[in-house]
Amino acid sequence: MNKLFEYSIESAISLAVFYLFYRIFMSKSTHFRLNRFILMFSVIISMVLPALANRIDMPAAGTLNLAIDFSTPESLPSTATSLTQSANAETGYSLLEIIGLIYIAGAAIILARLGYQAIYLHAVSRLSKTSDYKGYKIISLDTDMVPFAYFNRIFIPADRINENSLESVIMHEQSHLTQGHNIDLFILQIITVLQWFNPFVWLFEKSLKEIHEYLADEAVLESGKDKGNYQAILVNEALGGPVFILTNQFNKSLIKKRILMMKNVKSSKIVQLKALLVVPLLVGLLLAFANPPLISQTGDKDLIVKGNVSDRFSGKPIAGAVVLIKGTTTGTITDDQGNYELIVSGPGDVLIVSITGFRTQETAVGNMGKNSNLNFLLEQDILTIDFNQGNKLALEDRSVQDHPKKSDSDGNFVLVEELPAYPGGTLALYKFIQDNLQYPYEAKTAGLAGTVLVIYTINTNGEVTDPKIIRGIQFDMDKEALRVTKLIKGWKPASQNGRPVSTTVTMPVEF
């Protein structure tokens, strides 16, 4: 969502800059074909430029290394995606998510509008009288509409256009078709769906339609039609009616501008040189949107390492995992898709990934080049409930050398982990099991005894899920061990940086 938001804003800025350039330097020019090219180039490049610019790394200096410092709990950044999303999970949608929903709703409305008009025009074509004219279909309308062209069809209100003006009107609309103006509008409408919130995209549409009309008028006059008669047709025959965003129309709102443009003296060819100003404008936007330099405080070039952290067994992404640079308190946290991004000082750095419920993993960055991808597949870290080792949970083969769960002697807060907790501790859990355990009669009569080992997951709600027998004794005893395990309630789930996480535990059930 962040990338889409950034792309949309940069595209909107590009559209605004290019439109202002057109209005200031080119809008008064009578070089209509050049203006049409500039308008179409502007809207298309505005969509491409942000994506292209984000692939470029700026070579500038003086930028500080941006990273997360875990030296105090307060230093965990509010900008970390996973923390923000975790907090918002309790309060509802985040501001960014609300903006995203509004954006999608607006785009859907614009798209539905386009679809409705396309269906309407198709229906009108089928229900109206049709004739052929020089490879085009002339649709005679019984309704009070403005003459317009739509792909290979020319729509004419038969009762309102007289024979003296009919040829000029058809020639005008035919010019729209032969010059491919509908293709321009189709491209622009697709961009409008993406940029509906941007007022400049609507100004582009208005200006582009003006240029289309000027070009069609120019084509009619170049065919030999009398300028005075044609201007009179514009005044007398332009009709009011529905406006279609998908079409070019014999539009009365542009009549005054079109007549004035016909009277204007042709702009000199020198004016065309103004179009070259778009080149430095393009370069400026490219540099403005380019990735910032990766320069450390010491002036050395840094590496930006990106990657994903996921469960090796299920393949699912792991959110909220801490990714640290070994030997430092600098790191980041994975987002809800398990992705992370971290600036390191060089290939010699080692990344440590840790989250409650999974075995900690560390990997050297190595010589992977700039903007490297380093993915982690974590294995589940099984907690062992040992009723003979006091009133606590014990970790199975888990090293905490590089990432203590509490503040160290210097007060450096490296990692916040909390193991799952049962009310009253494991001694209370042992008592609950023994109070509810029913020794199967046949097993007891046969003198069977021993310990059944059960494995289960404590989910983020503190519920026991997916219990299984990993070491059994006898069918009825195993079944009873599972029954008792399912009765266990009240676990406080494990957490990582204040966010609940699922944990797998093994527990002995003694008979």
Side-chain angles (χ1 to χ4, degrees):
M1 183 67 75
N2 288 331
K3 291 292 185 181
L4 177 61
F5 181 77
E6 180 181 340
Y7 168 80
S8 298
I9 295 301
E10 290 180 353
S11 297
I13 293 172
S14 295
L15 285 168
V17 171
F18 280 117
Y19 182 79
L20 292 175
F21 163 79
Y22 170 78
R23 292 300 300 177
I24 294 171
F25 295 104
M26 304 303 299
S27 61
K28 301 299 182 183
S29 168
T30 59
H31 297 291
F32 304 133
R33 289 178 178 82
L34 176 61
N35 282 1
R36 177 191 177 190
F37 171 79
I38 290 175
L39 287 172
M40 290 306 300
F41 173 81
S42 297
V43 295
I44 293 173
I45 199 65
S46 292
M47 297 296 103
V48 176
L49 192 63
L52 179 63
N54 286 332
R55 299 177 65 88
I56 299 175
D57 292 323
M58 288 287 290
T63 304
L64 296 179
N65 186 354
L66 180 61
I68 303 172
D69 187 351
F70 288 83
S71 58
T72 63
E74 293 77 10
S75 67
L76 291 173
S78 60
T79 54
T81 303
S82 60
L83 293 184
T84 303
Q85 292 174 341
S86 175
N88 289 324
E90 300 177 0
T91 59
Y93 291 108
S94 67
L95 177 61
L96 191 59
E97 288 172 331
I98 293 173
I99 293 174
L101 291 174
I102 294 173
Y103 171 81
I104 293 172
I109 291 172
I110 300 300
L111 190 60
R113 182 187 178 204
L114 286 174
Y116 167 78
Q117 293 196 358
I119 294 172
Y120 183 83
L121 291 175
H122 181 72
V124 169
S125 299
R126 292 178 60 87
L127 298 174
S128 302
K129 296 179 181 179
T130 304
S131 59
D132 293 326
Y133 179 84
K134 296 182 179 180
Y136 296 97
K137 292 186 180 299
I138 306 298
I139 311 298
S140 298
L141 301 173
D142 296 328
T143 56
D144 187 16
M145 282 183 152
V146 179
F148 60 90
Y150 179 64
F151 287 96
N152 68 333
R153 299 178 178 90
I154 298 175
F155 295 76
I156 302 292
D159 296 337
R160 302 294 297 274
I161 302 293
N162 59 50
E163 292 186 3
N164 294 330
S165 61
L166 181 60
E167 184 179 359
S168 295
V169 172
I170 292 177
M171 189 176 295
H172 176 94
E173 299 303 332
Q174 183 182 354
S175 298
H176 285 308
L177 299 178
T178 56
Q179 295 179 33
H181 295 171
N182 287 118
I183 297 174
D184 293 357
L185 293 179
F186 180 78
I187 294 173
L188 185 58
Q189 291 310 316
I190 295 300
I191 294 174
T192 301
V193 171
L194 301 175
Q195 286 281 314
W196 62 267
F197 60 89
N198 183 2
F200 287 97
V201 78
W202 301 100
L203 293 175
F204 264 108
E205 180 185 328
K206 181 174 182 292
S207 296
L208 185 62
K209 286 189 173 183
E210 287 180 1
I211 292 298
H212 286 170
E213 296 303 322
Y214 298 155
L215 285 168
D217 291 339
E218 186 178 66
V220 173
L221 296 178
E222 287 178 351
S223 71
K225 295 295 181 182
D226 181 76
K227 182 184 295 186
N229 289 336
Y230 183 65
Q231 291 173 349
I233 291 173
L234 294 183
V235 175
N236 295 328
E237 304 296 347
L239 308 174
V243 175
F244 293 94
I245 58 178
L246 285 171
T247 64
N248 294 99
Q249 296 164 292
F250 207 85
N251 198 331
K252 69 177 184 180
S253 64
L254 290 178
I255 290 176
K256 184 177 179 180
K257 288 184 178 181
R258 290 162 64 185
I259 292 175
L260 291 175
M261 195 60 74
M262 292 179 202
K263 294 180 178 181
N264 284 349
V265 177
K266 288 290 183 181
S267 302
S268 66
K269 291 186 177 181
I270 297 178
V271 175
Q272 294 177 313
L273 296 176
K274 291 181 180 179
L276 296 177
L277 294 175
V278 77
V279 177
L281 190 65
L282 182 63
V283 174
L285 287 171
L286 191 63
L287 295 177
F289 296 151
N291 290 330
L294 303 174
I295 305 295
S296 66
Q297 297 182 23
T298 61
D300 299 324
K301 290 186 177 180
D302 291 331
L303 299 176
I304 181 167
V305 179
K306 303 177 183 179
N308 181 268
V309 179
S310 56
D311 186 332
R312 179 183 294 276
F313 177 74
S314 67
K316 295 181 179 180
I318 300 175
V322 174
V323 184
L324 291 171
I325 300 175
K326 186 175 182 180
T328 74
T329 57
T330 300
T332 188
I333 301 172
T334 58
D335 62 20
D336 278 357
Q337 287 71 49
N339 298 320
Y340 74 92
E341 183 174 320
L342 183 64
I343 296 176
V344 299
S345 60
D349 281 349
V350 175
L351 298 188
I352 298 176
V353 179
S354 179
I355 183 170
T356 299
F358 291 87
R359 295 181 184 274
T360 297
Q361 187 178 127
E362 62 180 66
T363 302
V365 172
N367 295 307
M368 296 186 297
K370 207 166 194 177
N371 297 332
S372 300
N373 284 325
L374 187 57
N375 299 323
F376 291 86
L377 295 174
L378 302 188
E379 296 180 353
Q380 288 190 354
D381 194 5
I382 301 175
L383 302 176
T384 301
I385 301 175
D386 189 346
F387 296 120
N388 297 319
Q389 296 295 323
N391 197 22
K392 64 181 179 179
L393 287 173
L395 280 172
E396 196 176 79
D397 297 329
R398 184 179 178 90
S399 171
V400 294
Q401 178 181 355
D402 298 303
H403 39 84
K405 293 183 287 298
K406 298 181 180 180
S407 300
D408 59 24
S409 58
D410 296 325
N412 290 325
F413 192 84
V414 178
L415 184 61
V416 183
E417 284 185 342
E418 289 187 14
L419 298 178
Y422 185 80
T426 55
L427 294 181
L429 177 60
Y430 178 79
K431 184 177 186 302
F432 173 85
I433 293 172
Q434 293 303 315
D435 289 345
N436 288 274
L437 191 66
Q438 298 176 7
Y439 211 124
Y441 176 77
E442 291 184 2
K444 187 174 184 180
T445 302
L448 295 178
T451 301
V452 176
L453 194 59
V454 183
I455 186 170
Y456 58 88
T457 298
I458 303 170
N459 67 15
T460 55
N461 296 321
E463 300 167 343
V464 172
T465 62
D466 198 26
K468 294 183 179 67
I469 302 297
I470 58 175
R471 190 183 68 199
I473 303 175
Q474 184 258 358
F475 176 78
D476 290 337
M477 299 172 76
D478 297 347
K479 184 178 179 180
E480 176 62 15
L482 285 178
R483 186 191 70 82
V484 172
T485 300
K486 292 177 182 178
L487 296 177
I488 300 172
K489 300 183 184 302
W491 277 103
K492 178 184 177 183
S495 65
Q496 177 96 28
N497 297 304
R499 180 175 185 159
V501 294
S502 297
T503 312
T504 302
V505 300
T506 59
M507 181 183 73
V509 179
E510 296 182 356
F511 289 90

